[in-house]
Amino acid sequence: MAAKFKVTFTLDETDASYFQSLYRKAKQGAKTQDAEQIIADARAIVKDVKAAKRTPVFVQDAIDVLADLVDLIQDEDYAAPQRVRNEVLAGLAYFSDPEDLIPDHIPGLGFLDDAIMVKFIEDEFKHELWGYRKFRKTRDASEQRPWASSAKSRLDERLAADRKKIRAMIAEREAKEAIKKKSRTHLGW
């Protein structure tokens, strides 16, 4: 039986600042990059991680988030607002940078920096990811009868209603978080 153990680490302020600066730099660079190339590069990382042998579970989990982010901006049914698409695309630009902190070919650790960066991006888009996953789950569970002529229009109407409801819930979640952040800042936390 293989031994199982947990490894945790904490990024101190300097480490976090370093990754945040990489993230800001990537977002700035996204303005001059081709959107399709950014998406292709992010998809390539997902594919490489999935194909890699002995990839740590936490890296695989992070890469699943990366795949969801790409799907979020490409899912026509979800129809993320253009502002959201642009912001997520800018966040994904990091994965187009060939100057990786840890080269991806190093077994077990090569995708560690990518996983850390995904966590920064995931935190920034947590509400949008929540909404997309909720939408996807609802859509995937919807009854679809392709042989019925009215099925397509009913599904389109239902998806539109779901999108509207989820957009409102995302806005509500973001507003609540903004209030919490403001009160923490006011209290000096």
Side-chain angles (χ1 to χ4, degrees):
M1 184 172 174
K4 185 175 178 179
F5 62 93
K6 182 177 182 176
V7 176
T8 60
F9 61 92
T10 303
L11 296 178
D12 67 14
E13 287 181 31
T14 304
D15 297 332
S17 292
Y18 174 72
F19 277 98
Q20 287 170 337
S21 71
L22 288 177
Y23 181 49
R24 280 191 301 273
K25 180 181 169 189
K27 285 176 76 171
Q28 282 299 113
K31 294 174 184 174
T32 61
Q33 289 180 306
D34 176 54
E36 292 304 316
Q37 187 61 52
I38 292 171
I39 290 168
D41 291 342
R43 290 250 187 240
I45 295 258
V46 170
K47 183 180 174 188
D48 291 348
V49 169
K50 300 255 184 219
K53 293 179 173 40
R54 299 185 338 238
T55 303
V57 172
F58 69 91
V59 172
Q60 292 173 15
D61 292 345
I63 293 306
D64 288 343
V65 171
L66 181 61
D68 283 351
L69 285 163
V70 175
D71 291 346
L72 182 154
I73 61 174
Q74 289 193 303
D75 190 324
E76 291 180 19
D77 287 338
Y78 183 61
Q82 193 61 47
R83 172 193 61 80
V84 171
R85 289 177 190 215
N86 291 343
E87 289 173 5
V88 171
L89 190 64
L92 294 175
Y94 171 82
F95 302 97
S96 291
D97 186 359
E99 300 291 320
D100 234 346
L101 182 63
I102 304 171
D104 291 343
H105 68 273
I106 297 176
L109 295 177
F111 296 109
L112 179 60
D113 60 322
D114 297 322
I116 292 169
M117 190 57 67
V118 168
K119 289 299 180 186
F120 276 96
I121 297 169
E122 180 181 25
D123 186 60
E124 183 168 336
F125 298 109
K126 65 185 167 216
H127 302 300
E128 198 64 45
L129 276 164
W130 171 86
Y132 175 64
R133 290 170 178 151
K134 184 171 184 61
F135 175 84
R136 186 175 59 195
K137 187 176 180 179
T138 302
R139 177 192 55 203
D140 293 350
S142 294
E143 182 181 350
Q144 296 182 29
R145 297 181 191 161
W147 60 87
S149 61
S150 60
K152 175 83 170 110
S153 67
R154 277 197 316 262
L155 180 60
D156 288 346
E157 288 170 11
R158 186 173 179 183
L159 293 178
D162 287 347
R163 275 193 303 271
K164 184 176 179 179
K165 189 167 125 181
I166 288 171
R167 291 256 51 94
M169 290 190 298
I170 290 169
E172 182 180 323
R173 291 169 69 100
E174 290 173 338
K176 284 181 182 178
E177 182 178 16
I179 290 168
K180 283 181 186 178
K181 281 183 180 179
K182 187 175 180 180
S183 68
R184 279 190 293 235
T185 302
H186 180 67
L187 296 173
W189 292 355

